[in-house]
Amino acid sequence: METWDAITSRRNVRDYADRPIPDEDLNRILEAGRRAPSSRNWQPWDFVVVTDRGRLAELSNVWRGASHVARSAATIALVTGVHDDAGQRERAQYDLGQATMSIMLAAADLGIGSGHAAVADQDLARRLLGLPTDRECAYLIALGHPAGGPLRPIQRPDRRPLDEVVHRQHW
């Protein structure tokens, strides 16, 4: 898939076909996350990949909007340090957002759907993922082959018009 096609095909997928993601595809997706831009090359992330059905079902309980995690072929937990400093927290969140988008675009490029989820229950996430106390799970990215058919460019995205969003030279 071309880059533009991956960008225009990517959508939040929360209903997955019951088929695994090949290891080479999963590794490529993880490599995209690892290569994401990061402020001062800080790379404030680690990734925990979960493919076990039972663990995915339990992991889906970390947030009320994470039920799709239970049905995914794999879910990537984006893990970061516990940051007391507000500036560090903000930098980490920005960098994690870039890693998230890199992961999602790489997945779309391979025809794999993705859907993100927040994490409210850090104690449960720590227990399930085996995280040390100085780490927290920032987000989950569920992955799987879309049950509703393959990804393809969305002709009419549900987005504000470009001329409403873009301001040139001034507001």
Side-chain angles (χ1 to χ4, degrees), residues 1 13-14 31 54 78 84:
M1 189 179 289
V13 174
R14 293 187 175 90
E31 180 67 10
L78 278 69
D84 294 328

Side-chain angles (χ1 to χ4, degrees), residues 70-82:
R71 299 181 305 275
S72 69
T75 290
I76 301 171
L78 278 69
V79 177
T80 191
V82 175

Side-chain angles (χ1 to χ4, degrees), residues 5-166:
D5 289 340
I7 290 169
T8 59
S9 297
R10 199 220 64 80
R11 65 181 192 274
N12 286 333
V13 174
R14 293 187 175 90
D15 193 18
Y16 308 103
D18 187 20
R19 54 187 258 227
I21 297 171
D23 286 341
E24 60 270 13
D25 289 352
L26 195 50
N27 287 336
R28 186 173 180 141
I29 292 166
L30 291 161
E31 180 67 10
R34 186 182 77 86
R35 288 177 177 239
S38 172
S39 174
R40 299 183 193 151
N41 202 28
W42 183 27
Q43 305 169 60
W45 52 62
D46 287 280
F47 308 131
V48 179
V49 184
V50 179
T51 56
D52 177 79
R53 276 279 165 233
R55 191 164 301 252
L56 288 167
E58 288 184 271
L59 195 55
S60 72
N61 294 313
V62 300
W63 173 247
R64 62 189 161 117
S67 62
H68 61 288
V69 167
R71 299 181 305 275
S72 69
T75 290
I76 301 171
L78 278 69
V79 177
T80 191
V82 175
H83 305 289
D84 294 328
D85 177 72
Q88 279 192 332
R89 261 193 320 275
E90 289 174 15
R91 275 180 50 216
Q93 289 300 309
Y94 189 83
D95 286 357
L96 288 165
Q98 294 187 95
T100 297
M101 200 63 210
S102 291
I103 287 168
M104 290 178 146
L105 286 175
D109 183 59
L110 296 167
I112 296 167
S114 61
H116 60 282
V119 178
D121 191 339
Q122 286 295 330
D123 291 335
L124 179 59
R126 272 194 189 93
R127 183 176 61 76
L128 293 172
L129 300 171
L131 303 181
T133 56
D134 68 337
R135 300 281 180 229
E136 64 185 11
C137 182
Y139 305 103
L140 299 174
I141 304 172
L143 302 167
H145 297 279
L151 295 176
R152 60 181 167 268
I154 300 167
Q155 300 305 315
R156 295 180 183 198
D158 186 15
R159 294 290 184 259
R160 292 169 39 211
L162 188 66
D163 62 352
E164 183 182 308
V165 175
V166 176

